[in-house]
């Protein structure tokens, strides 16, 4: 071939029978093998010949003439064996890939099936355990004597035990979603929802007591509202546990009534044996209770102060009547006899189950010889003991005796104030003064003095 301006002349005969010096093609024919050969002698490429067939091409240029010798072979002919080998190799490779994939899939499926079976077995086991625990909790909850329920902030039932849904005439699922107002009525429900929200807002257990009217009978219920923490699936809730305490309160009231009757009987025996100090312990009890209430002591301690005040002279039943009715002042031996008897009276109360520290208060009172108002700031002495002490001293100072007149209330109070010391003593004396001056105590005590005279 040779280049002739913008054309290429084929100098030799061609495979399709074209004579030499006959075929001419444009040099810029796209992807033309002859154009590549002329432009790049010694190069190698895949191009298309004059018949537009795909060929492998290489070439070299003559030095003595401007000709180019081009070698070409059809790609189908040149690459037939290679393509066949590549095809076989590709087939084998694809078969290997398929086999490996099949093996991996089989292993994966086997492992997945095994894991699925294991997971299914675990799920069945967990479900079985869940149902067993649920049934156990249901049995425990249904066997409770009181009502139990879980409600949301708006007082809507999320769960309830049998006592509630039996009373409402519903089944286990029928109670869920109902409101407290629909089950117990709008008025009681209002107080219950208030307690529910208080338990949630303060995050603490709230206790409430309410009375339920059942025809001619009123039943007292004590309910505890226990906040339950929120979870990702559920908001915060409250467990309501209610108990009918009607019989318990009645029994407690009966026990307290019997105890008061017993105390009154014992005090009456002492008063009859000691006419000079009759009603002394009753007034000590009254003043001591007023002081304890002024100091805002818990109800249990207020009750203990009152009972201890009434029983403080119980030991006098062990004192001979000639000492109790003696007109003059007692000598040292007689005073010691009285004090020992008072301590022995405390021992008589050992074993009696009082609700508060009655025996402890009386024992401290006589172990410390009535100290508590005389500047004794020992923190170990109960406040109930100090209250009994100051009340006892005040009543003793204003009460007349056969061998002396009683002091006026102001004189007795000044005496106490001058001896009150600090700490708990000061609290008890000032609370007594407040009762006398601001809460009607002075008039009541004046009536005692007048009666005694």
């Amino acid at each position: 071939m040779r280049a002739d301006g913008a054309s290429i002349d084929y100098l030799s005969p061609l495979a399709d029978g074209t004579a030499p010096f006959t075929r001419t093609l444009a040099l810029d024919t796209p992807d033309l093998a002859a154009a590549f050969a002329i432009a790049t002698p010694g190069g190698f490429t895949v191009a298309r010949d004059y018949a537009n067939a795909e060929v492998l091409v290489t070439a070299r240029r003559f030095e003595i003439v401007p000709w180019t010798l081009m070698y070409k072979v059809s790609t189908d002919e040149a690459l037939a064996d290679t393509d066949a080998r590549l095809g076989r190799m590709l087939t084998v490779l694809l078969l290997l890939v398929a086999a490996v994939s099949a093996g991996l899939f089989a292993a994966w499926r086997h492992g997945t099936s095994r894991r699925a079976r294991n997971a299914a077995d675990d799920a069945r086991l967990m479900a079985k355990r869940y149902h067993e625990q649920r049934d156990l909790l249901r049995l425990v909850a249904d066997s409770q004597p009181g009502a139990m329920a879980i409600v949301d902030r708006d007082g809507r039932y999320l769960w309830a035990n049998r006592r509630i849904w039996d009373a409402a005439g519903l089944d286990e699922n029928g109670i869920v979603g109902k409101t407290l107002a629909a089950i117990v009525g709008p008025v009681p429900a209002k107080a219950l929802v208030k307690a529910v929200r208080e338990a949630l807002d303060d995050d603490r257990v709230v206790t409430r007591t309410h009375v339920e009217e059942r025809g001619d009978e009123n039943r007292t219920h004590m309910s505890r509202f226990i906040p339950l923490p929120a979870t990702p699936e559920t908001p915060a809730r409250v467990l309501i546990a209610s108990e009918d305490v009607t019989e318990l309160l009645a029994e407690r009231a009966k026990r307290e009534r019997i105890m008061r009757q017993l105390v009154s009987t014992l005090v009456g025996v002492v008063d009859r044996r000691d006419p000079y100090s009759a009603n002394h312990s009753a007034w000590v009890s009254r003043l001591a209770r007023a002081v304890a209430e002024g100091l805002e002591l818990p109800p249990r301690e207020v009750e203990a102060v009152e009972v201890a005040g009434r029983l403080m002279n119980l030991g006098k039943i062990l004192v001979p009547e000639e000492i109790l009715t003696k007109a003059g002042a007692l000598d040292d031996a007689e005073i010691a006899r009285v004090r020992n008897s008072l301590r022995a009276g405390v021992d008589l109360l050992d074993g009696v189950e009082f609700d508060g520290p009655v025996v402890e208060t009386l024992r401290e009172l006589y172990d410390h010889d009535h100290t508590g108002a005389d500047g004794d700031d020992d923190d170990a002495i109960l406040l109930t003991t100090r209250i009994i002490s100051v009340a006892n001293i005040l009543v003793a100072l204003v009460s007349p005796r056969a061998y002396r007149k009683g002091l006026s209330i102001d004189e007795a109070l000044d005496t106490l104030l001058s001896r009150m010391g600090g700490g708990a003593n000061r609290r008890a004396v000032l609370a007594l003064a407040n009762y006398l001056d601001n809460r009607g105590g002075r008039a009541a005590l004046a009536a005692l003095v007048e009666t005694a005279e």
Side-chain angles (χ1 to χ4, degrees):
M1 303 172 299
R2 65 182 177 187
D4 184 9
S7 300
I8 296 175
D9 295 332
Y10 289 85
L11 306 180
S12 60
L14 302 181
D16 62 356
T18 303
F21 298 97
T22 302
R23 174 87 51 133
T24 300
L25 292 176
L27 186 62
D28 59 357
T29 299
D31 204 22
L32 183 62
F36 173 81
I38 292 174
T40 315
F44 177 81
T45 190
V46 179
R48 292 190 174 276
D49 64 3
Y50 58 86
N52 200 32
E54 189 178 77
V55 293
L56 300 178
V57 179
T58 187
R60 65 185 181 86
R61 183 174 294 164
F62 290 102
E63 297 182 357
I64 57 176
V65 291
W67 296 353
T68 299
L69 178 63
M70 181 179 70
Y71 302 90
K72 71 181 181 69
V73 61
S74 171
T75 54
D76 292 338
E77 178 182 357
L79 301 178
D81 293 339
T82 301
D83 288 342
R85 287 195 301 271
L86 289 176
R88 289 192 297 271
M89 292 175 63
L90 181 60
T91 301
V92 172
L93 179 61
L94 291 176
L95 290 174
L96 288 174
V97 171
V100 172
S101 299
L104 291 175
F105 177 76
W108 170 82
R109 184 169 183 179
H110 174 72
T112 302
S113 299
R114 186 172 182 179
R115 287 194 298 271
R117 286 195 301 272
N118 292 338
D121 292 340
D122 292 342
R124 282 193 294 270
L125 180 59
M126 292 178 63
K128 181 181 179 182
R129 290 177 178 173
Y130 166 77
H131 288 296
E132 290 175 350
Q133 292 179 358
R134 184 197 63 182
D135 294 342
L136 176 60
L137 291 176
R138 169 62 66 188
L139 178 62
V140 172
D142 290 344
S143 64
Q144 296 302 306
M148 298 179 66
I150 296 177
V151 301
D152 62 14
R153 185 178 184 84
D154 297 324
R156 196 174 302 276
Y157 283 97
L158 304 176
W159 170 87
N161 68 347
R162 180 179 294 275
R163 181 171 292 273
I164 291 181
W165 40 274
D166 276 354
L170 300 171
D171 59 15
E172 180 178 1
N173 297 321
I175 197 73
V176 177
K178 294 288 191 298
T179 62
L180 286 167
I183 302 301
V184 303
V187 176
K190 185 176 181 181
L192 294 175
V193 171
K194 181 180 179 181
V196 166
R197 294 178 178 176
E198 182 179 344
L200 289 175
D201 293 341
D202 297 343
D203 192 25
R204 64 180 179 88
V205 177
V206 175
T207 302
R208 292 288 183 271
T209 302
H210 65 280
V211 178
E212 177 184 354
E213 296 182 2
R214 295 183 182 176
D216 296 335
E217 183 185 16
N218 292 337
R219 308 294 297 181
T220 303
H221 296 268
M222 184 175 68
S223 300
R224 300 179 73 232
F225 299 80
I226 306 169
L228 303 177
T231 67
E233 294 78 18
T234 57
R237 301 143 294 162
V238 171
L239 170 64
I240 305 177
S242 298
E243 182 181 0
D244 189 334
V245 294
T246 305
E247 284 78 13
L248 179 63
L249 293 178
E251 182 64 26
R252 180 177 180 180
K254 179 181 178 180
R255 187 171 65 251
E256 291 178 353
R257 188 166 57 252
I258 294 174
M259 179 65 71
R260 286 183 176 275
Q261 291 172 352
L262 177 61
V263 170
S264 297
T265 300
L266 294 174
V267 171
V269 172
V270 173
D271 288 344
R272 282 195 297 271
R273 298 189 76 247
D274 185 10
Y276 290 109
S277 60
N279 298 320
H280 177 95
S281 58
W283 276 98
V284 171
S285 173
R286 180 173 177 177
L287 288 178
R289 182 180 181 92
V291 172
E293 291 175 343
L295 292 173
E296 298 182 350
L297 265 62
R300 178 173 176 270
E301 295 184 16
V302 172
E303 185 72 17
V305 162
E306 181 180 3
V307 175
R310 301 198 67 186
L311 292 175
M312 62 176 295
N313 290 326
L314 178 63
K316 287 185 177 181
I317 63 176
L318 304 175
V319 180
E321 286 191 20
E322 59 269 18
I323 295 179
L324 295 177
T325 57
K326 185 177 181 179
L330 302 180
D331 58 30
D332 292 342
E334 290 169 336
I335 292 175
R337 180 76 177 270
V338 172
R339 287 180 176 176
N340 291 334
S341 298
L342 292 175
R343 292 189 180 94
V346 179
D347 295 335
L348 295 177
L349 298 175
D350 276 340
V352 179
E353 295 183 4
F354 295 98
D355 287 338
V358 174
V359 176
E360 295 86 342
T361 297
L362 293 176
R363 195 174 301 283
E364 282 191 354
L365 186 70
Y366 294 119
D367 285 348
H368 291 270
D369 291 330
H370 294 68
T371 58
D374 298 331
D376 187 349
D377 292 331
D378 184 1
D379 292 336
I381 299 177
L382 294 174
L383 183 55
T384 53
T385 303
R386 299 177 186 278
I387 292 173
I388 294 291
S389 178
V390 297
N392 178 57
I393 292 174
L394 183 69
V395 173
L397 290 175
V398 300
S399 298
R401 293 289 182 264
Y403 54 88
R404 66 164 175 82
K405 291 184 177 181
L407 299 179
S408 68
I409 295 177
D410 288 331
E411 290 173 336
L413 190 57
D414 288 342
T415 300
L416 270 178
L417 291 172
S418 66
R419 297 163 55 187
M420 68 181 178
N425 298 320
R426 179 180 296 274
R427 291 178 60 197
V429 175
L430 293 181
L432 176 58
N434 179 62
Y435 168 68
L436 293 175
D437 293 335
N438 302 316
R439 293 166 53 200
R442 184 179 290 270
L445 193 59
L448 164 66
V449 175
E450 183 179 349
T451 301
E453 293 175 346

